[in-house]
Amino acid sequence: MDVLDLARWQFGITTVVHFFFVPFTISMAFLVAIMQSVWMRTKSERWLRLTKFFGKLLLINLAVGVVTGLVQEFQFGMNWSDFSRFVGDVFGAPLAMEALLAFYLESVFVGVWIFGWGRIPPKIHLATIWVTAFGTLLSAYFILAANSFMQNPVGYEIDEEAGRAELTDIWAVLTNKVLLITFPHTIFAAFMVGGGVVAAVAMWHLVRGARNPEDASPGRPSDAGAFRTALRIGAVAVLVGGIGVVITGDTQGKVMTEVQPMKMAAAEALYETEQPAPFSLFTVGTLDGSEALYSIEIPQLLSFLGTGSFEGQVEGINDLQAQYEQTYGPADYSPNVPVTYWTFRMMITMGGLAGLIALWQLWATRRGRVPTSPWALRITAVLPLLPLAGNAFGWIFTEMGRQPWLVFGLMRTESGISPSTSGTTVFVSLAAFTVLYAGLTWLWVHLLLKYARPGLPDVTPIGGDASKDDEDDDADADKPLSFAY
């Protein structure tokens, strides 16, 4: 492989792995904030234990996720310097906002939340986790603003003398039509991940307790009830997130057809313009992806998904290729059709399966029931992986479907590579980062499993025996501050 292929593989691997942590952090921050809010309102020990239990999983994910995200910024300068030089004035603005505002909120207030238990007033402590949660939303919004510029460039002008794009309207960048629909779509998908984790962990403890009562957190009669509550919260989050993904995905498809018709055509392996256009359930094409050989289709559905009308016209790959050649000059303007086609379907399939498992969990645990079949644990173990994979396939589809453009209509991918970067250099860094990210992923999974297995932690109830606390923690100089409760 040449330096371009190696640089694309490196960015793809590091980005996909980093995005394992992003939806987990966004959704889990809100779920933990909700649990703590309910505890503040009800003073029920159950909710405090759930807050601390899932809060610990959130912190593990956040810590490892931050490490994997650091590499992303460096790659723009090391491997993609021509891209950074050309669009840095526009692309860098939302990224700077993310670092200076959103990430600052997340990092500062999550630190206060971690160390503020018993040391600051409860309402202020609760506010810190909510600020952290909204900080993750801001972070996602600014990063998606940068990515949406690559999909649909707005708010810029080309300085012909300098040979670069310059920002003219930050508001246009922050209200890009692609961003306004991609953001809610991404957030709903994130809640499928966090909900899946909560539901899976809770279901595992419920099934384990039902099958092996002697292993089910001895001396803690409230664990089963707490985990049943957590399971229903997680399953509902998956279902609500799934419904949101479907609704926003429908609008996103129409926006994509408008601003990136080639991506929509490739997603459906639609080679010729059709009106009305069918939706392909399954297509077998030639090895080079140049034409379809066999296809199972739903008549007129693609027209509705792309245009909002069952009689709408959807342009095909071949016609779009001819248009782009006239506009941009001779070149191949179609993405890798098999990859684009199948990642689009894998994204939908993973999300659909996650929703079905969440529905099954709610049904299987209705009216106090707890499944004891070995299959219950196996199905449960798959639940958090499905939306995680769906998110990954979605981003692979988004980025691969934009090819051969780095910035649609402005810069082709091969034009953005660093001119002085060698294949050997990128290969060495690719190998090193792959090993590093594999190790971090293993550590992430290991820590999550380690702290999820023991069950809910013991906590000192509000209004408990203060004299006993003093005896146990007499050496802790900060302990008297806990009486602020």
Side-chain angles (χ1 to χ4, degrees):
M1 293 187 288
D2 60 18
V3 63
L4 175 62
D5 292 330
L6 289 168
R8 289 182 64 191
W9 269 105
Q10 177 171 304
F11 201 88
I13 291 172
T14 55
T15 301
V16 169
V17 173
H18 175 60
F19 203 73
F20 288 162
F21 306 94
V22 173
F24 191 142
T25 299
I26 293 172
S27 54
M28 191 65 79
F30 276 94
L31 293 174
V32 170
I34 290 170
M35 292 175 187
Q36 186 170 346
S37 297
V38 176
W39 167 64
M40 282 288 296
R41 187 174 183 84
T42 64
K43 303 303 180 185
S44 170
E45 180 182 320
R46 168 189 300 187
W47 289 102
L48 177 58
R49 297 172 71 193
L50 287 173
T51 299
K52 292 202 169 187
F53 177 75
F54 287 107
K56 186 173 292 184
L57 302 187
L58 166 65
L59 296 178
I60 292 169
N61 183 80
L62 186 61
V64 182
V66 167
V67 176
T68 61
L70 294 176
V71 177
Q72 304 301 102
E73 304 289 343
F74 289 111
Q75 288 185 91
F76 291 126
M78 294 188 299
N79 291 345
W80 302 96
S81 61
D82 276 2
F83 165 73
S84 299
R85 183 193 62 81
F86 181 69
V87 298
D89 188 58
V90 184
F91 190 82
L95 291 182
M97 293 178 181
E98 190 275 334
L100 297 174
L101 177 61
F103 185 71
Y104 176 83
L105 287 176
E106 291 177 57
S107 56
V108 170
F109 283 92
V110 78
V112 177
W113 186 76
I114 294 170
F115 299 107
W117 286 100
R119 292 176 171 83
I120 60 178
K123 290 183 180 179
I124 295 179
H125 185 261
L126 174 63
T128 62
I129 188 63
W130 279 109
V131 173
T132 300
F134 280 105
T136 66
L137 286 187
L138 274 178
S139 182
Y141 193 88
F142 289 133
I143 291 173
L144 289 173
N147 181 266
S148 295
F149 176 81
M150 298 169 68
Q151 314 292 337
N152 179 44
V154 293
Y156 73 98
E157 63 180 20
I158 299 296
D159 185 331
E160 298 293 348
E161 183 177 348
R164 64 196 296 265
E166 295 188 349
L167 180 65
T168 59
D169 189 349
I170 185 61
W171 183 248
V173 174
L174 296 179
T175 57
N176 190 331
K177 66 174 68 178
V178 173
L179 169 63
L180 294 180
I181 191 58
T182 300
F183 175 70
H185 188 70
T186 303
I187 299 306
F188 279 121
F191 272 90
M192 294 188 72
V193 175
V197 172
V198 171
V201 171
M203 186 73 162
W204 184 82
H205 280 284
L206 283 175
V207 174
R208 187 187 69 161
R211 294 179 62 193
N212 306 291
E214 68 279 2
D215 295 336
S217 301
R220 298 176 182 172
S222 63
D223 276 16
F227 278 124
R228 183 180 300 279
T229 300
L231 183 146
R232 304 192 81 79
I233 291 174
V236 169
V238 172
L239 293 174
V240 171
I243 293 171
V245 165
V246 171
I247 295 172
T248 56
D250 174 67
T251 304
Q252 192 176 33
K254 294 171 175 57
V255 173
M256 181 173 65
T257 302
E258 177 186 349
V259 301
Q260 291 180 293
M262 181 66 85
K263 183 186 290 187
M264 174 57 86
E268 294 304 318
L270 184 71
Y271 289 89
E272 304 299 334
T273 300
E274 296 192 34
Q275 183 180 7
F279 178 84
S280 168
L281 292 177
F282 179 82
T283 295
V284 176
T286 56
L287 292 178
D288 61 0
S290 61
E291 62 177 312
L293 300 176
Y294 173 77
S295 184
I296 300 175
E297 301 172 336
I298 300 177
Q300 299 182 295
L301 182 57
L302 179 57
S303 289
F304 177 77
L305 294 176
T307 68
S309 169
F310 285 104
E311 300 299 326
Q313 175 179 288
V314 180
E315 295 180 287
I317 294 172
N318 294 334
D319 290 326
L320 290 167
Q321 172 67 27
Q323 293 177 29
Y324 290 169
E325 284 183 354
Q326 290 183 352
T327 303
Y328 304 112
D332 182 4
Y333 295 99
S334 62
N336 186 313
V337 176
V339 171
T340 307
Y341 179 90
W342 286 112
T343 51
F344 183 65
R345 275 145 189 79
M346 292 302 293
M347 172 186 68
I348 296 172
T349 301
M350 297 297 105
L353 290 175
L356 290 175
I357 293 177
L359 278 175
W360 169 79
Q361 285 186 326
L362 292 175
W363 179 83
T365 56
R366 70 195 186 284
R367 298 178 183 175
R369 293 179 174 86
V370 177
T372 57
S373 167
W375 282 102
L377 284 177
R378 294 168 188 164
I379 294 174
T380 294
V382 171
L383 175 57
L385 302 179
L386 291 173
L388 204 62
N391 274 267
F393 281 123
W395 274 109
I396 293 172
F397 163 73
T398 298
E399 298 304 296
M400 290 293 289
R402 192 187 62 243
Q403 300 302 316
W405 300 102
L406 259 182
V407 182
F408 185 78
L410 293 182
M411 171 176 266
R412 289 175 59 90
T413 303
E414 64 266 23
S415 301
I417 198 75
S418 299
S420 61
T421 300
S422 68
T424 301
T425 301
V426 180
F427 178 78
V428 171
S429 62
L430 169 62
F433 283 136
T434 300
V435 172
L436 174 64
Y437 274 50
L440 288 172
T441 303
W442 174 87
L443 177 64
W444 173 56
V445 174
H446 171 74
L447 290 175
L448 288 178
L449 294 177
K450 176 181 178 180
Y451 287 97
R453 283 194 183 104
L456 300 180
D458 290 318
V459 295
T460 301
I462 302 303
D465 186 350
S467 62
K468 184 177 184 302
D469 290 340
D470 289 339
E471 292 173 5
D472 292 341
D473 300 286
D474 187 56
D476 188 349
D478 289 331
K479 188 63 181 178
L481 294 178
S482 67
F483 294 124
Y485 278 89

